[in-house]
Amino acid sequence: KSLDRSKMTTNNQYSGDAFSNNLNDGETFTKPSYSYFDGTVGITLNSQIGESESNNYFIGLAYHHFNKPKKLSFYESSDISMSPKYVATAGVRFEMASNSYFTIQTDVTSQEKNKEVVGGIMYSWKSDDNSGPNYGLHLGTYFRWNESVIPVAKLEMKNMSIAVSYDANVSALKQKSKGNGGFELSLTYQKAKKDNSSIDAVKCPRF
């Protein structure tokens, strides 16, 4: 992490009614950047349901910040450390037709006394019945428990996909936020894989 102190604005840089860039910013740290190692491990299990490969489930668990990094401040004397975070995920996918399906998924995140639960459903349509569709459209809605509703749309084009979502506040804070949230745009590229009987023997979920 780093910052450009020459672009900082603090109270110390005000002198009466005049503003001067020559005045000190008032901060005592000397190093404008630092780095640290942060480790994460995880495991996932996925398998098909019944006879159809298109019907499947997946469950997973991740353990973030297992090494509890401590260098998290620009101040040398700081003893701030990163607390471990646990993330559990589970979902099922049901085929509606040869080229469409529903996915139901939920994520539970816990870090110290903080907990977040996000879950929702997504309808997907693809232009063919191969494992890697040339084109696909995904529409759905997710919910962040006691906080927000998140509509999602995703367009898949061969190895590329673009998705947009909007996080609309529905909690007690909506009176202040007036229900406003934030847009999120994501762009994904998945490299096309060559046919390999050994690799294809293990079925992985497609997100």
Side-chain angles (χ1 to χ4, degrees):
K1 295 182 178 181
S2 64
L3 57 83
D4 186 349
R5 295 183 69 174
S6 67
K7 297 181 180 179
M8 290 177 58
T9 301
T10 69
N11 291 340
N12 285 46
Q13 292 174 299
Y14 287 89
S15 177
D17 295 329
F19 175 77
S20 173
N21 288 323
N22 296 323
L23 297 178
N24 189 278
D25 58 26
E27 297 295 341
T28 59
F29 59 85
T30 57
K31 295 182 179 180
S33 64
Y34 67 91
S35 61
Y36 58 90
F37 173 76
D38 187 13
T40 296
V41 294
I43 188 172
T44 181
L45 169 67
N46 54 86
S47 182
Q48 71 183 53
I49 301 173
E51 300 297 326
S52 174
E53 293 183 357
S54 299
N55 297 332
N56 53 65
Y57 70 89
F58 57 90
I59 56 176
L61 181 66
Y63 179 32
H64 299 262
H65 322 308
F66 64 79
N67 60 312
K68 300 180 182 179
K70 298 183 184 300
K71 181 57 180 174
L72 302 175
S73 173
F74 291 98
Y75 297 97
E76 293 292 334
S77 60
S78 172
D79 58 355
I80 299 174
S81 62
M82 185 82 75
S83 300
K85 180 176 69 174
Y86 302 89
V87 180
T89 183
V92 292
R93 190 179 89 163
F94 297 104
E95 184 180 56
M96 303 299 293
S98 60
N99 64 343
S100 64
Y101 54 90
F102 275 101
T103 303
I104 302 173
Q105 181 181 358
T106 184
D107 292 330
V108 179
T109 303
S110 177
Q111 187 174 30
E112 291 189 340
K113 297 180 180 180
N114 305 302
K115 180 177 290 186
E116 180 184 68
V117 180
V118 179
I121 186 170
M122 181 87 74
Y123 171 77
S124 302
W125 170 89
K126 56 185 182 180
S127 62
D128 56 42
D129 57 3
N130 295 323
S131 59
N134 289 324
Y135 297 95
L137 178 64
H138 310 265
L139 299 172
T141 303
Y142 286 80
F143 300 90
R144 182 175 288 107
W145 189 258
N146 288 332
E147 186 173 338
S148 58
V149 57
I150 312 167
V152 181
K154 178 181 177 181
L155 179 62
E156 201 169 353
M157 301 164 288
K158 296 184 178 180
N159 297 331
M160 299 288 297
S161 65
I162 183 171
V164 61
S165 63
Y166 182 75
D167 196 317
N169 185 275
V170 295
S171 70
L173 296 175
K174 66 181 179 181
Q175 294 180 351
K176 296 294 184 180
S177 67
K178 300 185 185 302
N180 293 326
F183 280 102
E184 181 174 309
L185 181 68
S186 64
L187 182 66
T188 305
Y189 172 77
Q190 291 181 319
K191 183 179 179 180
K193 67 180 182 67
K194 298 180 180 180
D195 293 334
N196 186 308
S197 59
S198 297
I199 296 177
D200 292 341
V202 179
K203 300 295 183 181
C204 295
R206 184 182 180 91
F207 299 99

